[in-house]
Structures are given as structure tokens and as C-alpha cells.
Amino acid sequence: MQRLSELQGDLQNIRNICILAHVDHGKTTLSDYLLSSNGIISERLSGQLRFLDSRDDEQERGITMKSSAVALSFQNDKLVHLIDSPGHVDFASEVLTALRICDGALVLIDVIEGATSQCLSLIRNACFDEGLVPILVLNKMDRLITEWKMEPSEAYTRLEGILEDLNAWMGATAQAIAAAEDEEGQGCARKTGWHEAFLDDYFHPVKGNVVFCSAVDGWAFRCDTFAKIFAPKFGIAQEKLNSGLWGYQTLKKGEIVSNYDRSQKHPLAVDIMFQNLWAIYNACGFPSSDKPKVDQGKVLKIAKTLNINILNRNLKGSDSRALVRLVTGQWLSLSDSIFESIIEC
């Protein structure tokens, strides 16, 4: 508590962030994991406790009805004021009030449902009306594996489509607003050409403003997460590898190339990021139409490679999903990826 009070005095290290999403896209579950990173709740209860849904009717109905705020520290020198806002359209006034005291927004999108009309409305309110910096969190990626049973390359295509549609909407919306303001003589309220930043792939994983996430399984990553891991192994600069981790590019003799036979090779994002993640779920028995069966040998091999501590009782347990959370949570820290995106925004 004393440390939080000290951090309040340095405005340069403070971020006020609102979490936005359509109802049931995972806002409160994500908040639980961020709270557990500060020791406020047990990590084991993350995603189940819904700590910021503090009202009895919120717990009973399973939805957020009132905005709730909490102060969280990161790396012992950064302070994040996090506001969990409602996702249901009936509580839009709560969201608008929260946005007006924030300088950034985490926008969660369920990768199964995609960007809903409510989600687009929230982005418009945050980004175009209030001028906040948005960070896109593509949540529930676990469902692509466990429910839709997608291969890594299929998942990449799905995510690429979501980003393309969202970026096209961002560009069209920015142009429409700018044209309307010019026509009404309100353009002086913003800098000339303000809308141009939204015309060319505003949300792009390489920029660091897109986070791939499974809040229910407690993991998240950005492109630079894997760039840090694999750059030394490939003998390539981290920035160069990061630049090739989205789009149809591959690695050849230490160089990022886009001219290659796509029928023979996958994009780097598939080979480096998605296939490694899928391997963990596969080793833990997913996807499976029946009860998942853990391949203990594969799990132990993965744990050794990733330098992760797995106990025998973890392997002998009957909950395969808990084993997934144990491995992925130690390897791809959800809180680190989210907080890093917030601090950089």
C-alpha cells in the first residue's frame, strides 16, 4: 500500500486504462488475472472469482453492471489504474463515464464471435470520440483449438481476417468523421490530418498494439514475446525477427523474405508462435471429442525445453485444462503482455 502511494506522485509512470468489450468476451476474467499478479487474489481463483463484480446482482447474473476500479503496480515502478466496465448496451452510460477519466483502452474481442456491432461502437466512443489509445486483445484463442479444432495455419487465417475487417472499419470510420467535421467547420478541434493514422492497418501485431490471449487459461503474448525467445536461436536481431512475425513472410539465411512458395512453407507467425502453442494443448489431450488424454512424455519434454517446473501430481491429476494453464501460464505471462502494452501505449 505504501509503495502504491509513492507511485501516485509520479504522473509519468501512471496509466488510466478502461477495459472494453461486448458482454461475455472475457473482461472480468482478464481482470482477475491482472489482480492475481499483484497478489490481491489467488491465481488459482482467477477467472472464477470475478473479483471486480462486487455487487450481489452482478455475481448472480454473471455480467458486469457497474464500473469498478483498482490500482495495480507493474515492475515496481509503474502504476495502472484499471477500470472494468460493463459490456451490455443497457449500461453504456457507465462505459462513457469511465472513458472520460482514462488515457487508454483495452479492447477485447472474442476470436470466435469477432468484432460485434457493440464492440465497434465501444471503439468509436473510446478512439474517435474521447481520443484514447486503443490496445486490441484477441481473446478466447483457446476456443480455436478446443472447440473449433483448428490447425495453426487455419487459426492464423481467422485472426488475419478479424484484423483486416477491423482495420478497414477503422479507416472508413476515421475518414467519415473527418469529412463530416470539415463539412461542418469543426476540423479545427483536431489536428489537420488526424485521421490518416487510422487508414493503414492501425491494429497490427508487429506494432505491439495487438495481444493474443486466452484469459480463461491465463496466457497472453505479443509478437515481440516470441521475438525475444527465438532471435538468439536464429542469430538474428530481435527487431528484425519481430518485423516478420505477422504477414506472409518467412526466414531464409537469417533474412526475412516474403517471396517464397506458400504451398511449402507457413508464415513465421504459424511456425514460431502458433505451432509451439498448439503443441502444448495437443500434449495435454486437446482437441478431443472425448475425455482429453495427457501425453506425459510430451508434457515433460515441453516443460524441460521451456524450463518450466512440473510436478508428478500435476501429471497424474484428472484435470487436463489445469495442466494447460500450469504450462502456458508459466511460459506466456498474461499480466506481463497486457501491462507492457499498457505502459507503451
Side-chain angles (χ1 to χ4, degrees):
M1 185 64 71
Q2 182 180 352
R3 182 55 183 161
L4 287 178
S5 298
E6 293 172 356
L7 292 175
Q8 295 279 10
D10 188 355
L11 297 181
Q12 295 297 320
N13 291 326
I14 297 176
R15 297 290 185 275
N16 300 321
I17 298 291
C18 185
I19 306 183
L20 305 175
H22 185 66
V23 65
D24 289 335
H25 277 207
K27 298 184 309 303
T28 307
T29 301
L30 179 72
S31 299
D32 273 0
Y33 273 97
L34 297 180
L35 289 168
S36 71
S37 72
N38 274 231
I40 297 174
I41 64 174
S42 167
E43 186 173 334
R44 190 173 296 179
L45 295 176
S46 298
Q48 305 172 37
L49 191 59
R50 299 176 60 89
F51 185 83
L52 293 180
D53 284 348
S54 55
R55 292 162 47 120
D56 291 339
D57 51 357
E58 289 179 316
Q59 290 288 341
E60 289 171 6
R61 297 176 62 180
I63 62 172
T64 303
M65 299 165 65
K66 284 285 186 180
S67 294
S68 300
V70 64
L72 302 172
S73 65
F74 177 60
Q75 294 180 342
N76 208 36
D77 64 348
K78 303 291 191 299
L79 185 63
V80 176
H81 293 137
L82 188 74
I83 301 178
D84 181 21
S85 64
H88 199 283
V89 67
D90 289 349
F91 309 109
S93 61
E94 285 285 321
V95 180
L96 295 177
T97 302
L99 290 176
R100 287 171 186 150
I101 60 173
C102 290
D103 47 34
L106 286 175
V107 182
L108 270 68
I109 292 181
D110 183 334
V111 296
I112 299 296
E113 295 187 18
T116 64
S117 58
Q118 170 68 358
C119 179
L120 297 179
S121 177
L122 291 170
I123 295 175
R124 180 180 177 119
N125 291 334
C127 189
F128 298 118
D129 295 344
E130 300 298 333
L132 304 188
V133 178
I135 299 163
L136 183 64
V137 180
L138 295 174
N139 192 28
K140 301 194 179 184
M141 280 193 54
D142 57 285
R143 296 181 65 190
L144 298 178
I145 306 172
T146 61
E147 294 181 25
W148 280 20
K149 299 178 173 56
M150 282 185 166
E151 293 297 322
S153 58
E154 295 172 324
Y156 176 85
T157 302
R158 169 68 180 174
L159 298 172
E160 184 183 44
I162 292 174
L163 287 172
E164 286 179 353
D165 290 345
L166 186 55
N167 282 324
W169 177 86
M170 292 282 285
T173 302
Q175 280 188 314
I177 293 174
E181 288 179 345
D182 289 342
E183 188 175 320
E184 297 171 6
Q186 298 176 358
C188 59
R190 307 185 200 236
K191 292 181 179 179
T192 302
W194 65 267
H195 66 288
E196 293 177 1
F198 300 99
L199 301 182
D200 184 23
D201 290 347
Y202 183 83
F203 290 117
H204 197 293
V206 170
K207 295 180 181 179
N209 62 2
V210 177
V211 181
F212 303 95
C213 177
S214 169
V216 72
D217 284 341
W219 58 260
F221 64 87
R222 307 189 303 174
C223 285
D224 63 353
T225 306
F226 280 86
K228 291 174 186 175
I229 297 171
F230 284 93
K233 296 180 180 180
F234 294 146
I236 184 174
Q238 181 181 317
E239 294 76 12
K240 181 183 287 188
L241 181 58
N242 184 65
S243 69
L245 282 177
W246 198 258
Y248 287 89
Q249 302 176 91
T250 191
L251 193 63
K252 185 177 182 181
K253 297 180 180 179
E255 296 294 329
I256 304 296
V257 297
S258 55
N259 184 21
Y260 68 97
D261 187 352
R262 295 184 184 179
S263 65
Q264 299 295 322
K265 281 189 174 184
H266 295 302
L268 271 178
V270 175
D271 287 340
I272 292 180
M273 299 194 299
F274 294 165
Q275 285 187 351
N276 284 297
L277 180 61
W278 258 244
I280 295 174
Y281 278 86
N282 294 159
C284 294
F286 297 99
S288 173
S289 56
D290 198 3
K291 184 178 179 180
K293 186 176 180 181
V294 175
D295 187 326
Q296 295 187 10
K298 284 186 178 180
V299 172
L300 288 173
K301 184 177 179 180
I302 290 171
K304 184 178 180 180
T305 301
L306 301 178
N307 196 27
I308 290 173
N309 186 31
I310 300 290
L311 302 177
N312 286 332
R313 67 170 179 265
N314 300 132
L315 292 173
K316 295 177 180 178
S318 58
D319 190 348
S320 299
R321 202 59 181 262
L323 185 58
V324 168
R325 296 188 188 106
L326 180 64
V327 177
T328 55
Q330 291 184 67
W331 184 39
L332 303 170
S333 170
L334 183 152
S335 59
D336 284 355
S337 293
I338 297 295
F339 281 135
E340 285 171 5
S341 297
I342 290 173
I343 297 303
E344 291 174 9
C345 77

